[in-house]
Amino acid sequence: MTTGLIPGGQPPDPRPTGGLPHQRHEPVGPAAQHVENRSRSSVITARAAASFEPVGRSVASARSFVRDTLQGWGFADIVDDAVVLTSELVTNAVVHAGTSADVLCLRSDEGVRVEVADRYPEREVPLQGAAITMGNPDREGGRGLQLCAALAGRWGVEYTPTHKTVWFQLDLPARTVGTRAAGPALPADLLPLADSRVRVAVIQVDRTGHISAWNEDAEELFGYPAEQVTGKPLTDLAAWPHTPGTSTGIAEALQLSRWEGSYGIRDADGRVTPVYASHLRVRDTGGEPSTVCLLVRDHERAVLQTPLRVPASDTSTGSEGQSTDPFEVFIGSPAPDDLDGLLQRTVERARDMLDGDSAFLLLATDDETELEVRASTGLPSARQRFARVPVEAGTGRYGSARMPAVHDDLTAVSGAVPLLDGTGMRSVVTVPLKVEGRLTGSLGVAAEAPGRYSNEEALRLQFAADRIALAVESARLGELERLRRGSLSFLVEASDLLAGTLDRDQTLALMAQMTVPTLATWCAVYTIADQASEPYLSYVLHEDEELIDGIKSLLSKVPPPEPVPTPGARVWTAPAEIAHQAALRSSMRSLGLSGGPTRQVTTGIGPTLATASAVGGETVVLPLVARNRVIGMLTLGKPTDEHFRQEILELAEDLSRRAALALDNARLYSERTAISQSLQRSLLPPELPSIEGVEVEVIYRAAGEGNEVGGDFYDVFPIRDDAYGFAIGDVCGTGPNAAAVTGLARHALRLLAREGLSGPTVLERLNSAILDEGARSRFLTLLYGEMRPQEDGSAELKVVCAGHPLPLRLRQDGTVEPAAEPQPLLGVIDDLELYEETVTLDPGDVLLCVTDGVTERREGTRMLGDDGLADVLTTCTGLTAGAVAARIMRAVERFASDAPSDDMAILAMRVPGLQKD
């Protein structure tokens, strides 16, 4: 949502634009008064308009629009009343009337007028003087007009044939003329010290961070003439303390609407001049933003430093002069179920009520033994968020948590409030938040000066804490319930994802992606191969991908965490320490303090500082324990000075247990798969021999995922210089058991054939070997033959077909015929009487041998069969052996759409004939 002034002319069109509210902001001067058709005595100096769709969420959007608009105009005193009235009127329009709503805010020198128009022009106007007859205030109708009558200085209703507009005007509270803040008269020796002439450097920086204006005092203070620095980035001159835990950087500070603090400016001589600065973000009439920076010497900071706030009791008076408790305004605002918003509003109002410099709120854990920081304001960094401190009083503990406590000077009581150590706060008042006598939290306000608070302030703060404690506890319980439900959903989804893969690398990636950014800002996974191995950094992930390489480099310089099997998260300080050291070295180099001459900031420093900031917060390590062994560590980290919530750590511990088992399962699966593949490859024959005068091609497909060898097998091997053996067989079944028999058959064939035995004798001895396997034996179909290339270009084959599909011979004229006769299969009976047949392949002939996985390929009730195979083979005339095998395989795959359920092997041999000279 944008707020502010935008040059404009004609009044805005109030029609809704759909979706998000359409907003308009226009300055209007005296010359534009004639455009207004309503009678107004004051001059309209600015307007802002928005349209909202007739949906429930539009009410919240309208509240935010009015709040942002009035705060942008500096009317914080009347924001709450305006938001309440707008909420009721917009609810009437978008919920009850069911039409879109147009909201118009008008600023004048007297106050603010807000108009809410809808498209339901029912003419029913309750009279202000007869409010008692308007019915029950709790009923849905008419309540918005009652509130207008009660809260607004003036209000009214205007009608057109298509619109109804309800308007109200809130007048600004009277303030002391000319006085915003004042301090008492002081003796001269107590006044702030300054030079004889105080110089205020005024520097303007454009939206890209480059200097666009540089006044004479800036030239005098830092020695640069305006023409030398104009157009250069302010970061080239600013000596910002780039170490983790020191708030934002200069680039981020320039983007804030307002900033105040100290840093250094490198002058023309290379020295760093400490300055105190006040930044204000503005924009010109064209909407272009820029930052105006006012700088003085650091010891003259009193010139720019924000004065102490006026106590709320001096200014918070009602319209009738009665004092109003400032804490009344945040009961129910924000909504009770918005815990973070409620806590942040609480600390801000507590700080303002006691005129403090900072405030903080801690919530008790379930066992009430620790307090967890949940909101703070005015503290130098966010390092306290979700940090935990013990409840009971004692050395290094959070003292007096169960009763109000006032500390006049924290420097005299070391460790009384650990949260404020190193923050510069001296005095503090803390009060407990209790519900039915049970400690639920602690609220504190602190100031930089000692002795600021007394028992009176403690009583005021306790009164406010008592009023907000129940709303805080209710919102906390609601958040806890939502977190628990979300945790269960998260763990269920994580378990499903982890169970869906057995790939180690994918499991590592899933572990990291599930934790970032849901549980942590960055994540690193260390794995341990075995008990004798050191942890190895296997995976790193950050929500900003550009920082991943830097984090990997930084973690590689840190010894890995100890693989302790103790469950639960433990803090690992090494990454934050090395990050701090790296950032400090980079800052010193950028300031010219590394021993060498001062030099310009290099581009390499940025990534180093970004990486250091990314890992500079809290880092925890969770062991990955599976099957009573630590197989790795899951490391989770936060950016600079951030802490983990206990609920997040408990969720991460649950995730680590599931992830460890999934990672170990993936490891076991990978190891067993590697062993299986190695064993299966040992069952396959080596490369096919090169046979002069004969082309040989094999295609092999094993059924089943992950199987490289099944029940089908093939082999082509040399027997003697002039003879080669070939075989193709099919063991009953598929998978590892069948593959074991194929290994036996293939190796036995090679051994027996090289003994010089005939084909029938080789198969008869193989049959005996299979039967000797006993219960592990399986019957086997086998086509075995010996081939001898001839000098005339032909090839002589002696084949034995033991129960196997018959080999097919393709002649050059395209005819196809069986090349052998069927004989008994192996592994069934002891006494086999086999014989061999002689086949001569003429030049151009092809011998095709397949297993039954090819011929028995099915699609429903259809089967490819021997005839279908022969038909395909007739189309292969003139093709090479490789082309024949490929065409047969394509035909088999196209015959049915389902994946093959049986192993398949194709062996094609072709005699190309003699080459002519």
Side-chain angles (χ1 to χ4, degrees), residues 29 104 114 173 190 225 330 379 410 459 580 678 812 827 833:
L104 175 65
V114 179
L190 296 181
F330 69 66
L379 295 176
L410 291 177
L459 290 175
H580 179 87
S678 178
Q812 282 188 305
E833 294 183 0

Side-chain angles (χ1 to χ4, degrees), residues 318-654:
S319 57
E320 298 179 2
Q322 299 178 351
S323 297
T324 303
D325 182 2
F327 260 65
E328 291 181 358
V329 298
F330 69 66
I331 297 297
S333 177
D337 60 347
D338 180 10
L339 180 60
D340 289 336
L342 180 61
L343 299 182
Q344 192 61 36
R345 181 66 62 85
T346 299
V347 296
E348 292 173 357
R349 296 298 170 84
R351 177 200 62 189
D352 294 342
M353 186 180 73
L354 298 187
D355 191 27
D357 295 307
S358 65
F360 50 89
L361 192 148
L362 301 88
L363 294 184
T365 56
D366 292 339
D367 57 6
E368 300 180 8
T369 61
E370 290 183 305
L371 294 172
E372 183 180 63
V373 181
R374 293 299 304 272
S376 64
T377 181
L379 295 176
S381 71
R383 68 178 182 274
Q384 296 84 6
R385 185 163 172 79
F386 299 127
R388 291 195 170 200
V389 291
V391 170
E392 299 300 334
T395 304
R397 295 177 178 270
Y398 191 91
S400 306
R402 299 186 184 275
M403 63 181 64
V406 177
H407 298 276
D408 290 331
D409 194 347
L410 291 177
T411 58
V413 187
S414 177
V417 185
L419 178 64
L420 300 179
D421 289 348
T423 62
M425 300 297 160
R426 298 282 297 276
S427 55
V428 61
V429 52
T430 61
V431 297
L433 277 71
K434 293 183 178 181
V435 175
E436 298 179 351
R438 181 172 55 87
L439 178 69
T440 61
S442 179
L443 176 64
V445 178
E448 295 179 353
R452 285 282 300 276
Y453 302 116
S454 63
N455 289 337
E456 180 182 354
E457 283 80 9
L459 290 175
R460 292 180 60 198
L461 190 61
Q462 184 66 72
F463 178 70
D466 291 342
R467 301 186 65 182
I468 198 65
L470 186 59
V472 170
E473 180 66 4
S474 176
R476 187 186 73 86
L477 293 176
E479 181 194 63
L480 185 61
E481 179 64 21
R482 289 191 296 272
L483 183 60
R484 287 174 177 170
R485 291 182 180 179
S487 299
L488 290 176
S489 300
F490 173 78
L491 290 175
V492 169
E493 182 179 358
S495 299
D496 289 342
L497 290 173
L498 291 171
T501 179
L502 287 172
D503 181 82
R504 176 183 176 276
D505 293 337
Q506 189 174 1
T507 302
L508 290 172
L510 283 174
M511 290 170 57
Q513 291 168 5
M514 285 185 294
T515 57
V516 177
T518 306
L519 305 181
T521 305
W522 64 271
C523 167
V525 182
Y526 291 85
T527 56
I528 303 175
D530 52 62
Q531 294 182 353
S533 301
E534 291 293 326
Y536 173 75
L537 182 61
S538 299
Y539 201 91
V540 175
L541 183 65
H542 191 280
E543 60 184 8
D544 185 353
E545 294 182 358
E546 296 181 356
L547 298 178
I548 294 177
D549 292 338
I551 295 177
K552 284 182 181 179
S553 176
L554 189 144
L555 291 179
S556 65
K557 303 174 183 177
V558 182
E562 290 294 326
V564 179
T566 306
R570 69 181 192 274
V571 177
W572 186 29
T573 60
E577 291 173 355
I578 195 171
H580 179 87
Q581 294 170 6
L584 186 60
R585 288 194 300 268
S586 296
S587 296
M588 293 179 66
R589 287 196 300 268
S590 69
L591 297 175
L593 301 178
S594 57
T598 303
R599 59 187 181 190
Q600 199 76 2
V601 180
T602 62
T603 57
I605 292 177
T608 301
L609 297 174
T611 302
S613 178
V615 301
E618 187 176 47
T619 303
V620 296
V621 178
L622 298 102
L624 298 174
V625 181
R627 298 176 175 90
N628 298 321
R629 186 174 73 88
V630 180
I631 63 171
M633 284 86 69
L634 177 64
T635 303
L636 306 179
K638 286 284 190 178
T640 298
D641 296 334
E642 289 194 19
H643 293 267
F644 285 96
R645 296 185 60 178
Q646 185 64 27
E647 292 84 356
I648 295 298
L649 294 179
E650 293 172 357
L651 181 58
E653 186 178 354
D654 287 339

